[in-house]
Amino acid sequence: MKVLHVLYNYFPDHTGSTIRSEGVLSGQKAIGIEVVAITSPFQSGFSDAEYETVEGVKVYRAKNVICNELDISEKPKSLWSRVKKLRLLLSFARYIREVAEKEQVDVIHAHSMFFCAFAAKYASKTLGIPMVYEFRSLWEERSKNQGIVSKYLSKLLKFSETLAMRAADHVVTINQGLKSNIVKRGIRDQHVTVVSNAVSSSLLSVAQNTTSSTSFCRFGYVGNFSDIEGLDLLLEAFSLSFPVDGFPDVSLSFWGRGPDLEYLSALAESKNDPRIKFCGPFSRDSVTLVYESLDCIVIPRISLPITELVTPLKPLEAMAFGRLVIGSDVGGIVEVVGGSENALLFPAGDTVALSSQLSFAHENIEPCLRTLKCGRDFVFENRNWSEVSRAYSKVYQDLLVG
């Protein structure tokens, strides 16, 4: 069986989305599915070549064929820039068909967002092969509160995503919360399969050789700096737990990038605390070094529809590397960590409660080490992409038989 994965973005971008995509591709390869990928016209690769080999997978770069000045950004976009992106939809669809025909694939698997699904549907329809759409997030929630125009764009985005799911021969999503949301949109329950977030076998092999934390002084956040993450809450809680004059051995590091970087940097600077550091983005090859520089990963997401339903990937990585996870009790985090026995949880949005958990981790090493071990065991036993990917195999087989 050969599957063409249509990705909005992939490496060299280092985001939760690209990490999941890498896990999907590597996991499917591990169980004998032949995979090839294509990225959207908005993402540059490592070179100007039509295709590259990334982590052992052939990745076609549509941007190098459909030349344009557009790129992927989390910054607010004008209506005109969105229209310009949509104008490339047909060109992308034709290129997907060309690659699918050239590679002689059996299934086309489009991943969020709807732009990929619409283009993939054209290719699958004209070639007479099944199309799967993987829905990963409530994208409309990210922009609905950014003004009147954004409110209507949010509604349009939700409509487009729903239409993409209706057009697909089968829908895959990342957790039960999102599946419930999809079913409420009128998609049949049996038309939707949950494939949970997981960690790739290659990363688990590296993580297995990493020594777990033995104390909890180096706190940190790893990921995207956006307003849903509650990182200002983390800064306040850290200062409350560890006054600058009393805890010289404690630190707080931020690894990553995102639209809130400038705001967070200014907030941290106002603390006048040299223990707080912004370390910048990092490459996939540096993941081990990032986690080895920290003892405890804090994920203080605030409660919103998107955070209640969408499961992040970073907690699983942190747990695999033997790092304690402190997270808010939003549904997405509780589901992905597997419950309170695997991580320390606190009520979302509660600065004092988060401060209490930071202090608890620092002062109560033994019970936190037990939580850490439970979390690490949970990931190795239940969140391995090689095993999780078998659900994809069943979806593809059913579609091909049907």
Side-chain angles (χ1 to χ4, degrees):
M1 186 191 304
K2 191 171 188 179
V3 180
L4 171 62
H5 290 269
V6 182
L7 307 171
Y8 197 73
N9 63 325
Y10 195 49
F11 297 136
D13 287 3
H14 190 84
T15 64
S17 177
T18 58
I19 293 169
R20 177 176 171 93
S21 296
E22 189 273 333
V24 172
L25 298 176
S26 64
Q28 291 190 3
K29 279 179 60 184
I31 61 171
I33 298 174
E34 193 174 353
V35 296
V36 62
I38 181 171
T39 56
S40 73
F42 318 123
Q43 190 204 11
S44 300
F46 295 95
S47 70
D48 294 330
E50 181 181 1
Y51 64 83
E52 303 164 329
T53 301
V54 183
E55 303 284 335
V57 176
K58 193 175 188 180
V59 180
Y60 286 84
R61 300 294 188 180
K63 188 175 178 68
N64 293 344
V65 176
I66 309 169
C67 299
N68 66 91
E69 77 284 3
L70 301 171
D71 56 18
I72 296 172
S73 172
E74 289 196 42
K75 295 179 180 178
K77 303 174 186 66
S78 68
L79 182 59
W80 175 236
S81 70
R82 295 173 188 271
V83 171
K84 287 196 292 184
K85 283 192 171 186
L86 285 176
R87 289 171 62 187
L88 296 178
L89 184 60
L90 185 56
S91 298
F92 187 40
R94 288 171 176 161
Y95 185 54
I96 293 172
R97 174 184 169 147
E98 179 185 325
V99 171
E101 201 166 23
K102 176 181 177 181
E103 294 287 343
Q104 297 183 315
V105 301
D106 302 296
V107 178
I108 299 179
H109 184 145
H111 299 252
S112 292
M113 303 172 57
F114 70 89
F115 184 90
C116 293
F118 290 162
K121 184 61 181 180
Y122 167 87
S124 75
K125 192 74 173 176
T126 55
L127 293 174
I129 59 178
M131 190 274 277
V132 173
Y133 180 48
E134 184 158 318
F135 180 71
R136 299 182 180 180
S137 185
L138 298 177
W139 306 106
E140 67 272 12
E141 293 293 332
R142 296 175 184 269
S143 59
K144 66 186 299 184
N145 297 319
Q146 296 177 6
I148 302 252
V149 174
S150 293
K151 181 178 179 180
Y152 286 103
L153 283 174
S154 175
K155 291 182 178 180
L156 180 60
L157 182 54
K158 182 176 181 179
F159 172 79
S160 300
E161 288 290 335
T162 304
L163 188 60
M165 288 185 274
R166 291 183 181 276
D169 296 296
H170 198 84
V171 179
V172 171
T173 193
I174 65 176
N175 59 44
Q176 292 295 335
L178 278 180
K179 179 175 180 177
S180 298
N181 181 275
I182 292 168
V183 172
K184 286 179 182 177
R185 301 186 190 206
I187 311 298
R188 290 179 301 157
D189 184 274
Q190 60 268 36
H191 194 66
V192 185
T193 296
V194 173
V195 181
S196 302
N197 269 330
V199 180
S200 67
S201 298
S202 59
L203 196 61
L204 286 177
S205 297
V206 175
Q208 198 166 27
N209 295 321
T210 302
T211 303
S212 296
S213 299
T214 55
S215 62
F216 305 102
C217 297
R218 301 174 299 168
F219 297 89
Y221 171 82
V222 181
N224 186 46
F225 304 156
S226 69
D227 56 0
I228 71 171
E229 301 295 350
L231 300 182
D232 51 352
L233 184 81
L234 173 55
L235 282 167
E236 296 298 336
F238 179 80
S239 297
L240 185 61
S241 294
F242 309 115
V244 66
D245 295 330
F247 296 86
D249 61 325
V250 176
S251 62
L252 177 62
S253 302
F254 292 87
W255 286 91
R257 62 184 178 186
D260 275 13
L261 174 59
E262 187 175 339
Y263 163 68
L264 291 168
S265 298
L267 185 59
E269 190 173 344
S270 71
K271 303 289 183 186
N272 194 27
D273 188 343
R275 302 171 303 167
I276 302 174
K277 299 176 182 177
F278 286 82
C279 305
F282 56 95
S283 67
R284 187 64 170 162
D285 295 337
S286 304
V287 168
T288 302
L289 295 176
V290 170
Y291 285 116
E292 285 181 337
S293 73
L294 303 170
D295 301 315
C296 177
I297 310 301
V298 188
I299 309 171
R301 285 190 164 185
I302 61 176
S303 180
L304 295 168
I306 188 172
T307 57
E308 293 293 344
L309 295 180
V310 176
T311 46
L313 182 58
K314 281 294 182 283
L316 296 179
E317 284 191 352
M319 291 155 72
F321 276 94
R323 268 54 200 165
L324 180 67
V325 170
I326 298 177
S328 67
D329 64 352
V330 296
I333 291 178
V334 174
E335 182 175 343
V336 78
V337 301
S340 58
E341 64 272 21
N342 300 327
L344 300 184
L345 301 174
F346 69 94
D350 191 331
T351 305
V352 174
L354 173 54
S355 171
S356 177
Q357 291 291 46
L358 294 175
S359 298
F360 180 84
H362 182 59
E363 298 166 5
N364 299 273
I365 295 175
E366 289 305 318
C368 289
L369 288 178
R370 289 194 292 270
T371 300
L372 181 156
K373 184 180 184 305
C374 287
R376 196 175 200 184
D377 291 345
F378 170 77
V379 173
F380 277 90
E381 292 169 10
N382 302 283
R383 292 292 185 263
N384 185 327
W385 268 120
S386 297
E387 292 302 317
V388 172
S389 290
R390 297 189 186 281
Y392 286 116
S393 183
K394 184 179 186 309
V395 169
Y396 300 153
Q397 293 285 3
D398 288 348
L399 288 175
L400 291 172
V401 171

